[in-house]
Amino acid sequence: MQILWQLYSSFFRIGILTFGGGYAMLPMLTREVVEKHQWATEADLMDYYVIAQCTPGVIAVNTATFVGTRVAGNTGGIAATLGVVSPSYLIICIIAAFLRQFSHLEVVQHAFAGISIAVCAMVLNAVWKLISKSAVDRLTASVLVLTALVTILFGISPVWIVVAASCIGILAKRGEKKGDSK
């Protein structure tokens, strides 16, 4: 029961202190999951994070579910997931109750503008960390540049980009193995 509480409370903290969604939560996720509790290695966490991006749903929820399930099975997945969504639910309920009354105020509009800029900076930080850990050789750097260009220039669905990048990775590893066996 203690591990379920730890999962819930850790992901509750992540959920309540992370503004900007899944990308912005990466530094806090690393601190809680890898450094504080050692529930996963940094490499495992990056794998969960990548899978969470590729699966339907919210990155934060998917990552919490993966980590919780790894740590304490299905019940752990439920505890971590409830932990990460509880703050958002509570905050949305509170904001909905009061926002109509205060949204017209200039100070509220300026606060949201400031929060937007801070969230952009946190997302850029998370993206930089993902790039530095993922683009580790010429092939992965090439795939990064190619997928960025294809996404920006042609607006291709991320689903197709993930499928294509996965195929490139599989073919590249097969090529390495064939080259090693000679």
Side-chain angles (χ1 to χ4, degrees):
M1 195 62 147
Q2 182 180 4
I3 190 68
L4 297 178
W5 173 248
Q6 285 178 336
L7 283 164
Y8 179 85
S9 61
S10 291
F11 280 96
F12 187 92
R13 280 192 303 278
I14 291 169
I16 203 164
L17 296 175
T18 302
F19 295 93
Y23 297 107
M25 74 181 261
L26 189 57
M28 189 164 186
L29 195 68
T30 302
R31 207 170 19 260
E32 282 286 323
V33 173
V34 176
E35 296 168 9
K36 184 176 178 183
H37 294 289
Q38 289 97 32
W39 288 329
T41 65
E42 196 164 339
D44 288 339
L45 183 60
M46 295 309 283
D47 288 343
Y48 297 151
Y49 203 75
V50 169
I51 293 168
Q53 291 174 343
C54 298
T55 54
V58 180
I59 296 170
V61 173
N62 293 345
T63 304
T65 304
F66 290 140
V67 171
T69 302
R70 178 172 186 228
V71 172
N74 290 340
T75 311
I78 292 168
T81 302
L82 288 174
V84 81
V85 300
S86 294
S88 297
Y89 178 76
L90 294 171
I91 290 168
I92 287 170
C93 288
I94 292 168
I95 289 174
F98 295 104
L99 189 59
R100 283 186 173 202
Q101 298 171 19
F102 301 108
S103 64
H104 69 283
L105 296 176
E106 193 174 333
V107 69
V108 172
Q109 293 171 355
H110 291 308
F112 281 128
I115 290 170
S116 296
I117 295 300
V119 167
C120 288
M122 290 188 297
V123 168
L124 284 174
N125 181 36
V127 167
W128 178 251
K129 286 182 178 182
L130 282 171
I131 288 171
S132 65
K133 290 181 191 315
S134 300
V136 294
D137 56 20
R138 281 192 181 144
L139 176 66
T140 54
S142 299
V143 169
L144 170 71
V145 170
L146 181 65
T147 56
L149 288 173
V150 167
T151 302
I152 292 166
L153 297 176
F154 302 108
I156 294 176
S157 168
V159 171
W160 295 115
I161 292 172
V162 168
V163 169
S166 299
C167 291
I168 291 169
I170 290 167
L171 292 172
K173 284 297 178 184
R174 282 188 180 168
E176 284 179 15
K177 287 181 181 177
K178 285 182 181 177
D180 289 342
S181 63
K182 290 182 180 180

